[in-house]
Amino acid sequence: MTEHVTAPSASPAPGPSSTSSAPPRPTLGTYARLAKLDIVDYYIGLPLVFALTLPLLGMRVDTVGLLLLILVAEIAVVAAMVAFDDVTGYRDGSDAANYGSDAARRRLARKPLVAGTLTEPQALRFGRSATIASVVLWTLVVALAPHRPLWAVIGAALCLVASVQYSWGLKISYRGFQEIFLVGLGVGWVLVPYGLLVGHVDGFVVVQALIFGGGPMIFGLYSNTNDADGDRAAGRITVATKVSPRVNSIFIIALTAVETLLVTGSHLFGIAPWWFPVVLLPVIAMRMMQLFIGFVRGDILRARRMAIHTHRVAVVLLIGANLAVAFLTGAA
């Protein structure tokens, strides 16, 4: 996720909710905003998994059923993660700093604690409940899966634990591992469901998982660039807070180039078929455009929005291409 937090301070930063004598009455919509249900960028990995497994498993009801259960489990994990993320960001004041000056562009309502529509105890109860639900749901997923390779079971547990600890407990993002987490969660949430369904993975599946995981990391880097001053003031460690703006821009350009090299190189080394780099040509073009918008025109938030769209376009193209291959080869 791209929510930005650091370690909590001794006393909460004053927010709109602190001036109210009575706690707000949260609605389902408020909790939906706390859970960031509009952030679909990790969940869309499951249709990609379905498309990848189709040539091997065919069109099966049990496959779709397990993927739907995994979707619910992933939603629970993200809900817990972002609820704790919002509490920490509210306590240290980083959310107020990062969302205050550009609330119209970044929708302050997505931060219920800062907006005053939810109290800290309410958010904590929600986060703890979502954590319990996550454990129950992922246990059920593993129990019902047709295959249980050890690496996939460990991967599922690692994704769950790391997500909850993202801004809470170990505070992974606070300690400088945010960028690694963003790509790791995306990779894990492609490989783990695939492994539970198929029992193994091949090189081409891994390449597509890396492309998928790289999407949230790249638009997270643009978020970090925009939020560098607020994060730095709160003591949060990201690449953008620890290096100069020039070095940070070089870092983002380099990672964008790595994605392009992965797309082209995987074909040159015989891992991906010929159509893979052809299908992703629009994604490469969009990456170049977002670099221009972000670092030539200087509009980082617009570049971030385009990076989000680029990730979604990449996933749609991969799903379509994998489905087309499956049907053309008669495997579906």
Side-chain angles (χ1 to χ4, degrees), residues 50 53-68 144-147 196-198 331-332:
F50 172 77
T53 60
L54 193 58
L56 300 174
L57 305 179
M59 191 79 69
R60 296 172 51 171
V61 174
D62 56 345
T63 298
V64 175
L66 187 66
L67 288 174
L68 289 174
L144 295 176
H147 301 278
L196 293 175
L197 285 167
V198 178

Side-chain angles (χ1 to χ4, degrees), residues 178-196:
Q178 189 234 38
E179 292 87 355
I180 296 174
F181 170 84
L182 290 176
V183 65
L185 184 62
V187 172
W189 276 2
V190 170
L191 295 185
V192 167
Y194 186 94
L196 293 175

Side-chain angles (χ1 to χ4, degrees), residues 266-307:
S266 60
H267 169 58
L268 293 176
F269 283 96
I271 300 173
W274 66 268
W275 55 261
F276 185 63
V278 176
V279 165
L280 292 181
L281 276 176
V283 173
I284 295 173
M286 293 176 75
R287 290 290 188 216
M288 298 303 104
M289 181 58 69
Q290 70 197 36
L291 289 174
F292 176 79
I293 292 171
F295 299 112
V296 177
R297 292 187 175 178
D299 193 341
I300 292 297
L301 284 180
R302 185 182 170 198
R304 173 186 177 271
R305 288 197 304 274
M306 186 172 185

Side-chain angles (χ1 to χ4, degrees), residues 27 29 60 71 100 203 223-224 255 272 297:
T27 64
R60 296 172 51 171
L71 172 61
S223 290
N224 290 347
L255 286 183
R297 292 187 175 178

Side-chain angles (χ1 to χ4, degrees), residues 51 53-59 321-332:
T53 60
L54 193 58
L56 300 174
L57 305 179
M59 191 79 69
N322 281 287
L323 288 176
V325 169
F327 282 105
L328 287 173
T329 58

Side-chain angles (χ1 to χ4, degrees), residues 152-172:
V153 175
I154 293 174
L158 184 61
C159 287
L160 194 162
V161 172
S163 296
V164 175
Q165 300 290 313
Y166 177 75
S167 302
W168 204 253
L170 294 177
K171 293 185 176 65
I172 293 171

Side-chain angles (χ1 to χ4, degrees), residues 5 20 49 107 132 150 170 174 177 183 186 197 209 265 296 312-313:
V5 298
S20 176
V49 172
R107 293 183 297 168
I132 294 171
L150 183 60
L170 294 177
Y174 169 70
F177 297 100
V183 65
L197 285 167
V296 177
R312 295 173 182 177
V313 167

